[in-house]
């Protein structure tokens, strides 16, 4: 039990006799327990004034005593290290605690939870020093001020007692700007001194088919950066050929032998929905090399895959084609049945008869068919006496060709080309006659009648 508790118990205890002597003793015990705390709280500042305790903070290079401090200039997203150092010519008797740092548009993170302890010889005196580091990451351009930071310190006093208290650092200014005109605050990028990218592919089977999965893992490692600042490269967009299932990102920040390293691991599982060839796309990002002061671009290559169809996926993928082909077949069958019914009690079309005879090579029947067609269309018996129009002659390469084909037919030539030209000539002849008669009928209907006779004069 402390002397403070004993004094309170002596004052508040039931049955205690409040004599002048007991009251005086209680007050002595009470004040003797309170005054050392007040004295130690004031002594820490006295030790600082006397030079027995030193607290300095800086950004960038450590300033020398007496030098004028100028604001440090850094880039957006660049890692800024705030150093806080406690020093004493005696020794530290307790743990040092640093207060929190909050700056608008700046990420502050104490990544190294352990301080660096070392000794330094100054003017024949050995100083014990303890250095703490806090990493800062400014997110926008402008001028920033690190406010005063409370630091809890406990050191040994010259009289051998332990003196503890809270000291405050001085405000520190630093300026932030974009490192390159090719960058802006809207485009995602980050700053680092070293970047390494690794990509891995994993298949559920060697020969891919519909329903199998492809796992794509991308790992970005950066030095002197923060994991939350590393870019999110996988877009995880699904298509008709695959369905994307993103996995939770894995972020890590570590400190190794004075180096600050960060990593971001992204993983997406692609489940194949259709067979055939498909491509998982490329991705790219930019980062600023703060060590060499240059802009770097990184391209993460995609890959082409091919998957086989299953029966269900094949039907699903080509369902529209199957429906279209089925409808076309139904229409063709319906048309064929309709034509067959139509010509069941009607004569077969002349063009179909000609095609059948030509395919069979029945030359006598073909000659008979040609002359029958000639008689039907022109009421004549000789082919060479048929007068063709200029359009028909143009198609037959002139009247001479028509006469030669007619003579060849009469002489018994068995040539498909001769029969075909003669048939076309007769068919065109019938079509032209039909068109001319049709045009005449139209013009006759549109013809303006003659003026009616003047009935008035006749009545007179």
């Amino acid at each position: 039990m402390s002397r403070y508790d004993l004094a309170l118990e002596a004052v508040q205890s039931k049955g205690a006799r409040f004599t002048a002597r007991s009251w005086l003793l209680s007050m002595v015990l009470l004040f003797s327990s309170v005054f050392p705390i007040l004295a130690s709280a004031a002594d820490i500042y006295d030790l600082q004034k006397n030079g027995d305790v030193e607290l300095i903070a800086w950004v960038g290079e450590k300033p020398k005593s007496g030098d004028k401090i100028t604001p440090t200039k850094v880039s957006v997203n660049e890692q800024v290290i705030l150093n806080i150092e406690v020093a004493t010519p005696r020794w530290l008797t307790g743990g040092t605690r640093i207060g929190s740092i909050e700056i608008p548009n700046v990420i502050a993170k104490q990544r190294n939870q352990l301080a660096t302890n070392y000794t330094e010889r100054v003017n024949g005196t050995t100083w014990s020093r303890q250095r703490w580091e806090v990493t800062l990451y400014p997110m926008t351009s402008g001028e920033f001020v690190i406010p005063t930071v409370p630091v809890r310190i406990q050191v040994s006093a010259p009289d051998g007692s332990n003196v503890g208290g809270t000291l405050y650092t001085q405000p520190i200014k630093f300026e932030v700007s974009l490192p390159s005109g090719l960058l802006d605050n809207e485009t995602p990028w980050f700053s680092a001194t070293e970047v390494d990218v690794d990509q891995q592919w994993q298949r559920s089977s060697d020969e891919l088919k519909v329903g199998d999965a492809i796992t794509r893992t991308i790992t970005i490692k950066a030095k002197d950066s923060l994991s939350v600042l590393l870019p999110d490269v996988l877009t995880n967009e699904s298509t008709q050929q695959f369905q994307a299932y993103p996995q939770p990102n894995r972020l890590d920040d570590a400190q190794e032998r004075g180096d600050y390293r960060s990593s971001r691991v992204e993983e997406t599982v692609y489940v194949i929905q259709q067979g055939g060839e498909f491509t998982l796309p490329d991705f790219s990002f930019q980062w600023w090399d703060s060590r060499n002061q240059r802009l770097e671009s990184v391209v993460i290559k995609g890959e082409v895959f091919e998957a086989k169809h299953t029966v269900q996926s094949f039907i699903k993928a080509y369902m529209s084609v199957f429906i279209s082909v089925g409808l076309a077949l139904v229409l063709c069958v319906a048309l064929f049945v309709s034509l067959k019914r139509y010509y069941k009690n009607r004569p077969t079309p002349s063009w179909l008869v000609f095609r059948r005879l030509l395919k069979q090579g029945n030359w006598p029947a073909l000659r008979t068919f040609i002359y029958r067609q000639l008689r039907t269309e022109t009421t004549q018996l000789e082919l060479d006496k048929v007068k063709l129009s200029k359009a028909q002659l143009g198609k037959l390469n002139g009247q001479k060709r028509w006469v030669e084909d007619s003579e060849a037919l009469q002489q018994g030539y068995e040539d498909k080309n001769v029969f075909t030209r003669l048939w076309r000539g007769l068919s065109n002849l019938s079509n032209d006659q039909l068109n001319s008669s049709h045009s005449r009928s139209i013009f006759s209907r549109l013809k303006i009648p003659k003026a009616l006779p003047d009935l008035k004069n006749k009545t007179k």
Side-chain angles (χ1 to χ4, degrees), residues 28 42 45 63 107 119 143 202 242 259 280 337 389 428 436 445:
V28 169
Y45 298 102
I107 300 176
T119 59
E143 184 176 273
Q202 185 178 359
F242 57 82
D259 293 335
L280 294 179
V337 172
S389 63
N428 293 330
S436 62
R445 281 180 287 179

Side-chain angles (χ1 to χ4, degrees), residues 184-439:
D184 53 50
N185 293 325
E186 302 298 329
T187 305
W189 60 278
F190 66 98
S191 178
T193 56
E194 183 180 328
V195 174
D196 183 31
V197 179
D198 178 64
Q199 179 176 221
Q200 294 182 355
W201 301 91
Q202 185 178 359
R203 305 185 182 192
S204 59
S205 61
D206 293 336
E207 293 185 0
L208 295 175
K209 61 182 180 301
V210 175
D212 288 343
I214 301 172
T215 303
R216 185 178 191 178
T217 305
I218 296 178
T219 303
I220 301 177
K221 297 180 180 179
K223 183 178 178 182
D224 296 331
S225 186
L226 197 62
S227 60
V228 297
L229 300 178
L230 301 182
D232 187 2
V233 293
L234 294 178
T235 57
N236 301 318
E237 294 182 356
S238 300
T239 64
Q240 293 182 351
Q241 296 176 317
F242 57 82
Q243 187 73 30
Y245 296 94
Q247 306 301 307
N249 296 331
R250 300 191 294 272
L251 306 180
D252 182 61
D253 295 289
Q255 190 268 343
E256 300 175 2
R257 300 179 182 179
D259 293 335
Y260 295 100
R261 297 186 178 274
S262 303
S263 66
R264 181 187 186 95
V265 181
E266 296 184 40
E267 184 175 288
T268 300
V269 179
Y270 301 93
V271 179
I272 303 173
Q273 303 294 316
Q274 290 185 2
E277 185 177 278
F278 63 94
T279 303
L280 294 179
D282 301 344
F283 295 104
S284 62
F285 64 88
Q286 291 181 316
W287 66 282
W288 175 256
D289 187 351
S290 58
R291 176 183 298 170
N292 300 314
Q293 296 295 302
R294 63 187 181 189
L295 184 63
E296 300 286 349
S297 297
V298 177
V299 178
I300 304 175
K301 294 293 185 181
E303 194 167 333
V304 179
F305 297 91
E306 186 171 357
K308 295 182 179 179
H309 270 295
T310 61
V311 176
Q312 294 180 351
S313 66
F314 183 81
I315 294 175
K316 182 179 179 181
Y318 296 100
M319 180 61 71
S320 59
V321 178
F322 292 152
I323 293 175
S324 301
V325 173
L327 291 176
L329 290 176
V330 170
L331 291 175
C332 290
V333 171
L335 180 62
F336 176 78
V337 172
S338 300
L339 291 175
K340 189 174 182 181
R341 288 181 178 178
Y342 179 80
Y343 287 108
K344 186 176 182 180
N345 299 321
R346 292 177 177 83
T348 305
S350 58
W351 62 268
L352 183 58
V353 174
F354 176 76
R355 291 294 180 186
R356 288 176 179 177
L357 295 175
L358 191 65
K359 185 177 181 180
Q360 295 172 1
N362 192 347
W363 307 111
L366 279 172
R367 291 189 184 89
T368 303
F369 180 78
I370 291 294
Y371 280 109
R372 185 185 302 167
Q373 191 71 16
L374 173 65
R375 181 68 181 269
T376 303
E377 300 295 340
T378 63
T379 66
Q380 294 187 11
L381 299 177
E382 297 181 10
L383 290 171
D384 53 358
K385 293 183 178 180
V386 176
K387 300 299 183 181
L388 301 177
S389 63
K390 292 183 179 180
Q392 294 170 349
L393 293 175
K395 295 178 181 178
L396 298 173
N397 296 325
Q399 184 70 31
K400 184 179 180 181
R401 168 65 70 180
W402 175 261
V403 173
E404 291 177 355
D405 290 340
S406 301
E407 294 177 355
L409 180 65
Q410 294 175 2
Q411 294 175 5
Y413 278 88
E414 298 178 352
D415 190 352
K416 291 183 178 181
N417 296 326
V418 172
F419 283 92
T420 302
R421 285 194 295 268
L422 292 173
W423 162 252
R424 288 178 179 175
L426 294 174
S427 300
N428 293 330
L429 181 62
S430 61
N431 292 334
D432 289 343
Q433 292 175 354
L434 179 63
N435 294 333
S436 62
S437 63
H438 181 66
S439 61

